[in-house]
Amino acid sequence: MKKIDLHIHTVPGISDSEFVFCLDAFKRYVSEAKLDAVAVTNHNIFDAAQFRTIKETLGITVFPGIEVDLERGHLLIISDGSNLEDFESRANLVSQKITQIGDTISVEEIEKIFGDLRSYLIIPHYDKEPSITGQTIERIKPYISAGEVDSTKKFIRAIKDNAKLTPVLFSDVRIRNDLADLPTRQTFIDCGDLTLDVIKSCLRDKAKVTLSEKDGNKLWQIFQDGQKLSTGLNILLGERSTGKTYTLNKINNVLGNVKYIKQFSLVQQDEDAYEREFKNDVQRTRSNFVDQYLSGLKNVLDSIISIDLVANDRQVEQYLATLLKSAEDADRRDTFSRTALFDEVEFTIGQTQTLSELIGSVRQVIENIEYKEIIEKHLVPESLKRLVCELIELLWDKALENKKKKLVNELVKDIKQHLNLRTSAVQVKDVDLYKVSMDIKRVERFSEIINFLKREAVVFEESIQGFRIEAKKEPFAGAGEIKEVSHVKTAFSDAFRKYEDPYKYLRALLSNESLTRSELYKLFVKIGYRILNKDGFEVSGGERSEFRLLQEIMDAQNYDVLLIDEPESSFDNLFLKSDVNQILRKISESMLVVVVTHNSTVGASVGADYLLYASKDQEDDKVVYRIYSGYPTDKKLFSVDGKSISNHEIVMDSLEAGIDAYDSRRKGYEAIKH
């Protein structure tokens, strides 16, 4: 097996943070990581002189390469190094095209610059940002030997999926003069010679690519000292103050995208604060449901917000007053007030929203692919196309007509203002009585909708691991509840007094300048959540913690690694065995999980893939911390410095308080049984 890292940076590119290359750091990395081959792959740059120095110094196989910004992702192009001048000249063409952040090269340009890409080792960012996806990866697929990923979870997922490229895990490290922690992300390939053609051949065969030298993809080196972890479920045991939490923190620092559930983080301490936090957490995770349920109300509000019934009444009163006054003064009209335009009424501008929506609906029928067969069984496509064309022409006509009316209205308004300045006669105020009437109807309908929404009802139910989440709508009970939902600090007492009249309540909310109009729909009805246990009752404090733990573990599926520090805190063994162990076992099938525990139900019954034991020893007046590890069935666990310890002994001590205590309990249980 050969250990390779074909993604290493030695020169900062335009998109990199500045760093100073250090050849000694490179030598240290190659030596301590025991690498057999590396590739120098800087961003859009190839420094031939530096490469020659690196190659002469390292004493292992070193390939020249370049990491190119290809369209929306990154692509490694690695040469066999047989013609360094030729590779340098081609890489220089890449450098000339990418001169500032955001510049990219197309697939056609890459092919033009490098010629036959089959001569190179081509590795795209595959399950790693910025990744090459879609049509771009399809176009370069014939040249690709493997795809780079950035976690063991993605590596294992790709290695098991025949439809995915062979995964490789590389360091992507910057070899800098202040490099402290050496990377542990490398890949093993099963080969003899280390030529580019041999590596390409191996990478095309998933059976020849692994994360470890002797343990295939079961184990993976996590720390620079050689300490390994299982890519599945790891149990970390140890007495108090032996460095278990320190080890979890160290793993958290080494890896990215980690879900870390810390000790006691889910345990109830202050009941009120915990309940508030719990409800906020449930509401946050289901905020999409609230938005979706109230989306209709949001649309209704958009059409109601602009209606001002008081202003409408004022306009009608002005219209009636001027109409009466005009009638009284009819015999005293002068030349200006007798003109036809003096009391002219403006054109009503027609609405085209319904027609636009109709056109959109017909287009959706025409363009629908999923139900095309059924649609064409009942409707003739050509007729639909003629229909949508006719509707579009009608929309154009209406739009042109409205444009003309607006122009005429502006002229009429301007002329009326000038005539009004030249006469003492009363001009009748213009008012759209149809619109005023429709506004009243809209407000009545709005009130009916809001009052319906205020009726108590369960609007959402979801079952999770034996618990049931229930969302219930009901009216707000006080101004405080509205304030809590609004997330603003102003008082809602005045607005709440008008809560029974939806329109007046809306006007009160609109007068509050600290509220965002697009968020007002959340302030008309309260959506509350309840978590019910298996018996249908609201959960107790302990059950609430259990639910949160299960939620946090389930949420880990969005991460690459799950770390849990003593999940047994305040949970009973039946819950741990039947729920927690089951879900941990399931999640560890697809990602790395590390659990620190003192509980025999978790430690002994979960079915771990790998066992770690943290110890603190006194040697020559010094405290030495060690981690012993091995498979759960091994008789001995070993540390990276060659020390060993009895597996049976440490499991008994850590989980059962020693063999004597275990035997005593066993005899006690047998006595009770008989």
Side-chain angles (χ1 to χ4, degrees):
M1 298 295 284
K2 305 293 185 186
K3 193 175 188 182
I4 61 173
D5 181 1
L6 305 184
H7 192 167
I8 296 172
H9 295 262
T10 58
V11 177
I14 53 176
S15 57
D16 291 314
S17 299
E18 193 60 36
F19 68 89
V20 177
F21 170 67
C22 178
L23 190 57
D24 286 339
F26 208 163
K27 284 169 62 180
R28 184 165 67 91
Y29 174 45
V30 167
S31 171
E32 295 189 17
K34 298 176 182 175
L35 289 166
D36 296 298
V38 295
V40 176
T41 51
N42 294 305
H43 278 135
N44 310 302
I45 299 172
F46 178 68
D47 184 336
Q50 185 201 57
F51 176 80
R52 287 189 182 91
T53 304
I54 292 170
K55 186 176 172 63
E56 289 170 4
T57 307
L58 293 185
I60 63 167
T61 303
V62 184
F63 295 105
I66 186 169
E67 183 175 12
V68 179
D69 289 355
L70 176 68
E71 297 184 356
R72 295 179 181 175
H74 286 182
L75 180 72
L76 299 180
I77 300 176
I78 299 169
S79 164
D80 61 7
S82 58
N83 190 342
L84 209 57
E85 291 73 19
D86 176 69
F87 184 74
E88 182 184 24
S89 65
R90 295 176 192 275
N92 286 341
L93 294 176
V94 173
S95 303
Q96 291 168 16
K97 288 184 175 294
I98 299 181
T99 58
Q100 57 185 359
I101 295 175
D103 286 350
T104 60
I105 289 182
S106 67
V107 174
E108 290 75 17
E109 287 174 312
I110 285 289
E111 290 176 325
K112 190 175 177 182
I113 291 172
F114 288 95
D116 187 0
L117 291 176
R118 286 172 295 189
S119 304
Y120 300 89
L121 172 57
I122 305 295
I123 301 176
H125 274 208
Y126 187 51
D127 210 347
K128 172 181 181 178
E129 293 300 327
S131 60
I132 296 178
T133 57
Q135 291 184 350
T136 305
I137 201 159
E138 289 300 320
R139 285 153 64 196
I140 60 173
K141 216 166 195 174
Y143 316 118
I144 295 174
S145 299
E148 189 175 358
V149 299
D150 60 7
S151 71
T152 56
K153 176 184 178 180
K154 292 168 183 173
F155 185 97
I156 298 296
R157 187 168 59 197
I159 209 87
K160 289 180 179 176
D161 189 343
N162 292 332
K164 288 183 174 292
L165 294 172
T166 303
V168 286
L169 194 62
F170 294 146
S171 67
D172 200 355
V173 65
R174 275 67 177 163
I175 305 292
R176 53 203 308 156
N177 58 350
D178 56 351
L179 184 65
D181 297 324
L182 297 178
T184 57
R185 292 194 302 187
Q186 301 92 21
T187 299
F188 287 87
I189 56 174
D190 188 3
C191 67
D193 296 334
L194 270 173
T195 65
L196 199 71
D197 286 339
V198 169
I199 293 176
K200 285 163 68 176
S201 175
C202 283
L203 292 178
R204 290 196 177 100
D205 183 355
K206 288 185 176 180
K208 294 183 177 178
V209 180
T210 61
L211 288 170
S212 69
E213 183 177 6
K214 297 177 181 175
D215 297 280
N217 294 319
K218 292 180 181 176
L219 300 185
W220 178 64
Q221 183 180 331
I222 180 71
F223 296 141
Q224 192 179 329
D225 61 6
Q227 180 60 53
K228 295 176 182 175
L229 287 180
S230 166
T231 52
L233 180 54
N234 302 269
I235 293 295
L236 176 54
L237 306 175
E239 298 175 9
R240 298 289 177 195
S241 304
T242 53
K244 299 186 298 301
T245 301
Y246 169 81
T247 303
L248 282 192
N249 291 336
K250 195 174 171 184
I251 295 172
N252 185 39
N253 293 333
V254 169
L255 303 178
N257 201 25
V258 176
K259 176 74 177 182
Y260 190 177
I261 303 174
K262 297 190 177 182
Q263 188 180 7
F264 305 125
S265 63
L266 303 177
V267 179
Q268 179 172 338
Q269 293 170 2
D270 181 315
E271 187 172 350
D272 292 339
Y274 186 86
E275 185 169 355
R276 194 162 51 248
E277 183 186 342
F278 174 74
K279 287 185 175 179
N280 288 339
D281 195 33
V282 173
Q283 287 178 359
R284 178 179 52 77
T285 54
R286 283 154 185 84
S287 60
N288 286 342
F289 164 74
V290 175
D291 288 342
Q292 189 178 354
Y293 181 76
L294 296 178
S295 61
L297 175 60
K298 194 174 181 181
N299 294 333
V300 171
L301 271 181
D302 289 341
S303 64
I304 295 296
I305 279 177
S306 60
I307 296 177
D308 187 341
L309 293 184
V310 175
N312 284 355
D313 287 345
R314 201 160 45 240
Q315 284 185 21
V316 171
E317 287 172 2
Q318 288 178 348
Y319 165 73
L320 290 173
T322 54
L323 184 65
L324 290 171
K325 184 66 176 172
S326 175
E328 289 172 1
D329 297 344
D331 55 345
R332 294 199 292 270
R333 285 199 164 198
D334 54 21
T335 304
F336 299 105
S337 58
R338 286 199 191 97
T339 58
L341 287 178
F342 185 72
D343 288 323
E344 186 56 70
V345 177
E346 295 181 11
F347 285 114
T348 300
I349 305 299
Q351 297 295 321
T352 57
Q353 182 182 352
T354 303
L355 184 54
S356 296
E357 291 173 354
L358 182 58
I359 292 169
S361 299
V362 178
R363 283 188 61 177
Q364 191 176 13
V365 174
I366 295 170
E367 295 169 359
N368 186 280
I369 296 174
E370 188 176 0
Y371 304 108
K372 185 177 181 181
E373 191 175 333
I374 297 174
I375 292 169
E376 291 187 355
K377 195 161 69 177
H378 299 279
L379 299 171
V380 180
E382 290 306 317
S383 297
L384 288 171
K385 289 176 184 175
R386 285 195 296 274
L387 171 61
V388 78
C389 287
E390 192 172 336
L391 291 174
I392 289 172
E393 287 175 1
L394 180 60
L395 180 65
W396 289 348
D397 291 342
K398 282 184 172 293
L400 180 61
E401 187 179 342
N402 284 342
K403 196 171 181 180
K404 291 176 181 174
K405 286 179 177 175
K406 285 179 182 174
L407 180 62
V408 172
N409 283 346
E410 289 173 4
L411 289 171
V412 168
K413 190 185 291 180
D414 188 49
I415 293 168
K416 285 174 68 175
Q417 286 176 350
H418 281 84
L419 291 172
N420 197 31
L421 291 173
R422 287 169 168 76
T423 181
S424 59
V426 176
Q427 194 174 52
V428 179
K429 294 291 183 185
D430 197 9
V431 61
D432 187 342
L433 292 174
Y434 177 76
K435 176 182 174 300
V436 169
S437 176
M438 287 304 297
D439 281 352
I440 294 170
K441 289 293 181 187
R442 288 192 185 100
V443 169
E444 289 175 355
R445 183 63 182 146
F446 167 69
S447 298
E448 289 174 10
I449 292 170
I450 295 299
N451 289 329
F452 170 78
L453 281 174
K454 287 179 181 175
R455 293 179 199 165
E456 288 188 16
V458 174
V459 293
F460 172 80
E461 285 183 304
E462 181 185 12
S463 295
I464 299 176
Q465 296 286 321
F467 293 93
R468 196 168 83 244
I469 301 175
E470 188 180 272
K472 184 179 179 184
K473 69 180 177 70
E474 56 189 333
F476 285 110
E481 291 184 349
I482 301 172
K483 183 177 181 179
E484 188 177 345
V485 174
S486 72
H487 302 298
V488 297
K489 294 182 179 178
T490 54
F492 284 85
S493 305
D494 292 340
F496 186 70
R497 290 191 193 98
K498 299 167 185 172
Y499 186 58
E500 293 304 316
D501 185 329
Y503 177 73
K504 289 182 179 176
Y505 175 65
L506 170 63
R507 301 309 300 180
L509 294 179
L510 287 171
S511 65
N512 189 336
E513 295 181 352
S514 60
L515 294 174
T516 305
R517 290 194 170 197
S518 60
E519 299 291 313
L520 292 182
Y521 68 99
K522 297 177 182 175
L523 308 183
F524 284 84
V525 60
K526 175 183 171 186
I527 304 287
Y529 291 91
R530 290 197 310 162
I531 311 297
L532 307 178
N533 61 21
K534 294 172 183 174
D535 300 320
F537 296 109
E538 199 154 357
V539 292
S540 64
E543 289 172 325
R544 201 178 289 136
S545 298
E546 292 176 359
F547 176 80
R548 285 196 69 189
L549 175 62
L550 293 176
Q551 287 281 280
E552 290 292 319
I553 296 175
M554 289 296 289
D555 183 52
Q557 295 181 74
N558 300 317
Y559 295 79
D560 291 334
V561 180
L562 171 61
L563 308 178
I564 310 181
D565 196 352
E566 297 190 34
E568 62 266 27
S569 304
S570 89
F571 299 126
D572 64 62
N573 283 330
L574 278 178
F575 167 71
L576 292 171
K577 184 173 187 301
S578 62
D579 296 271
V580 176
N581 281 3
Q582 187 181 356
I583 195 171
L584 284 177
R585 190 66 247 173
K586 187 67 182 171
I587 283 182
S588 68
E589 291 176 6
S590 60
M591 66 191 296
L592 190 156
V593 177
V594 184
V595 182
V596 170
T597 184
H598 296 283
N599 184 284
S600 59
T601 302
V602 176
S605 304
V606 71
D609 297 307
Y610 205 57
L611 195 62
L612 300 104
Y613 175 71
S615 77
K616 184 174 70 174
D617 303 320
Q618 195 78 23
E619 294 180 0
D620 299 331
D621 297 329
K622 291 183 180 177
V623 175
V624 178
Y625 292 91
R626 283 195 180 88
I627 294 178
Y628 296 85
S629 58
Y631 292 102
T633 52
D634 290 344
K635 286 190 175 181
K636 288 184 177 295
L637 304 182
F638 292 89
S639 64
V640 292
D641 61 354
K643 303 279 184 182
S644 65
I645 193 169
S646 165
N647 190 350
H648 179 262
E649 189 177 317
I650 64 104
V651 167
M652 280 292 120
D653 288 345
S654 302
L655 302 180
E656 306 292 349
I659 187 68
D660 292 341
Y662 174 75
D663 283 340
S664 175
R665 280 198 300 275
R666 182 173 55 79
K667 289 174 184 174
Y669 294 145
E670 286 176 355
I672 295 169
K673 183 179 178 183
H674 299 296

